């Protein structure tokens, strides 16, 4: 619960993008709903199955017209061009505090002049701003008719997104990296509260998985096989490391490319439950990571198990992973997203492994615990609301 400074808000709304599963942004939503137990919940769509709704605390979201469109349950992303209009149709009249959990359109809700709108921003609309060109390359969209249509739509989304940001009274970013992206896209400052990582579930312990085929100690990479995760690149790096073992966990569109790149020293396990993932992390020499992430939960989960991380030095990883230049290093950062750079980083890690210990990794991970998020977000919301109420009194 939040300790409000003075009179608490009477009516509170929490707005989320789309509710279809329990992933990274839904972990944030879960904690926001626990901090704001009387809040009403809104979303573009709500298709979370009945047996997976525990994180919503019994709530069912009030949704938009997209919920009722054909095939929305499975093709809701296809309606992204309609979502700016849809989110603006949610009636949030009479709320004192609106908290949006936004990486696309949730921050675009319309609020009363006297209401405070705090947006927890996972990222500005990625594919409409700085990642537009990467998105177009990865989807194979050039300058043909379809490509031109998509570029025009992304331009319209950018214009809408910039306008929608004007309706936010206070931004809270999920990393300093995202705060810089907010400053670039919206010319707005943002507080930083890192997302919650379940450090109670990912804990140090004795190795529970032997090396594959009884071979030498292994490295592990675990992720969705989305293009920006660069999982095939990680696999390819181990062609130059034939005497090391790599265990790869996860699935997705890049799985076949990773399988084609895999040598005999690479084992692909597919998607695993979190308990089995934890077991593999505990026994790994290090966790390997190659993506540019807004925050990056998986490398923190690895550190929570006491496992060092070898990661590309992009996005928020520069903030969350103390490299070899730190007093208590937790891993190695490499500067290029190439197989050669990763292979060299693995060798560098092995040369300095004696400087890295499980206690330092665990201590660093605890900076991003659920308790840390709740404390930081409570302070941010209480402070913003007290300042807002004070401003209203002065204006009157």
């Amino acid at each position: 619960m939040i300790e409000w400074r003075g009179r608490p808000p009477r009516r509170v709304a929490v707005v989320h993008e789309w509710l279809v599963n329990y992933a990274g942004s839904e972990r944030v939503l879960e904690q926001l709903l626990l901090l704001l137990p009387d809040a009403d919940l809104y979303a573009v769509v709500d298709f979370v199955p009945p047996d997976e709704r525990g994180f919503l605390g019994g709530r069912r979201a009030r949704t938009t017209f997209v919920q009722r469109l054909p095939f929305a349950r499975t093709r809701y992303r296809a309606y992204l061009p309609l979502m700016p209009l849809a989110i603006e149709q949610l009636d949030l009249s009479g709320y004192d505090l609106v908290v949006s959990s936004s990486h696309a359109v949730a921050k675009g809700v319309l609020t009363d002049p006297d209401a405070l709108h705090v947006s927890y921003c996972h990222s500005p609309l990625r594919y409409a701003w700085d990642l537009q060109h990467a998105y177009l390359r990865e989807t194979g969209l050039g300058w043909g008719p379809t490509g031109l249509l998509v570029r025009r739509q992304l331009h319209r989304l950018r214009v809408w997104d910039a306008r929608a940001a004007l309706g936010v009274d206070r931004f809270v970013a999920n990393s300093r990296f995202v705060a810089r992206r907010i400053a670039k896209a919206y010319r707005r400052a943002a507080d930083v509260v890192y997302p919650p990582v379940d450090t109670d579930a990912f804990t140090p312990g004795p190795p529970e998985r032997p090396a594959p085929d009884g071979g030498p100690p292994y490295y592990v990479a675990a992720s969705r096989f989305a293009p920006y995760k660069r999982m095939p690149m990680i696999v390819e790096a181990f062609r130059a490391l034939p005497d090391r073992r790599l265990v790869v966990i996860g699935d997705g569109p890049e799985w076949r490319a990773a399988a084609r790149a895999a040598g005999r020293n690479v084992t692909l396990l597919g998607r695993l439950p979190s308990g089995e993932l934890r077991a593999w992390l505990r026994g790994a020499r290090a966790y390997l990571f190659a993506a540019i992430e807004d925050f990056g939960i998986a490398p923190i989960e690895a550190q929570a198990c006491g496992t060092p991380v070898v990661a590309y030095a992009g996005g928020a990883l520069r903030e969350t992973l103390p490299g070899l230049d730190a007093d208590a290093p937790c891993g190695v950062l490499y500067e290029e997203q190439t197989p050669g750079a990763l292979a060299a980083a693995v060798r560098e890690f092995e040369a300095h492994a004696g400087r890295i210990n499980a206690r330092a990794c665990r201590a660093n991970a605890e900076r991003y615990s659920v308790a840390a998020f709740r404390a930081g977000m409570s302070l941010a919301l209480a402070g913003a609301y007290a300042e807002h109420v004070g401003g209203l009194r002065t204006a009157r």
Side-chain angles (χ1 to χ4, degrees), residues 25 31 75 85 96 107 111 134-135 169 182 194 213 240 251 258 271 273 288 312 333 346 352 361:
S25 63
Q31 296 304 319
R75 300 292 302 276
L85 173 64
D96 301 306
K107 66 179 169 298
T111 60
Y135 165 75
D169 299 296
I182 290 170
Y194 291 104
D213 304 325
D251 59 15
R271 188 176 181 181
L288 308 182
Y312 174 61
L333 292 161
V346 169
H352 296 275
C361 294

Side-chain angles (χ1 to χ4, degrees), residues 31 35 193 195-200 366-378:
Q31 296 304 319
L35 287 173
V193 177
V197 179
D198 192 353
T199 54
D200 290 335
E366 286 175 346
R367 298 168 52 207
Y368 311 102
S369 67
V370 170
F373 172 82
R374 289 170 65 87
M377 203 65 201
S378 294

Side-chain angles (χ1 to χ4, degrees), residues 54-74:
F55 72 98
L56 296 175
R59 295 174 178 84
R60 179 162 292 279
R62 305 178 192 185
T63 57
T64 71
F65 64 80
V66 176
Q67 179 89 13
R68 300 181 295 278
L69 294 179
F71 310 110
R73 181 178 295 274
T74 56

Side-chain angles (χ1 to χ4, degrees), residues 209-220 244-249 264-269 280 283-285:
R209 290 290 183 273
D213 304 325
Y218 59 89
Y219 292 85
V220 67
R244 281 84 161 180
R245 302 287 296 179
L246 173 65
V247 172
V248 182
I249 299 169
R264 298 172 67 179
N265 61 334
V266 176
T267 302
L268 283 83
L269 295 179
W280 284 106
R285 299 187 71 178

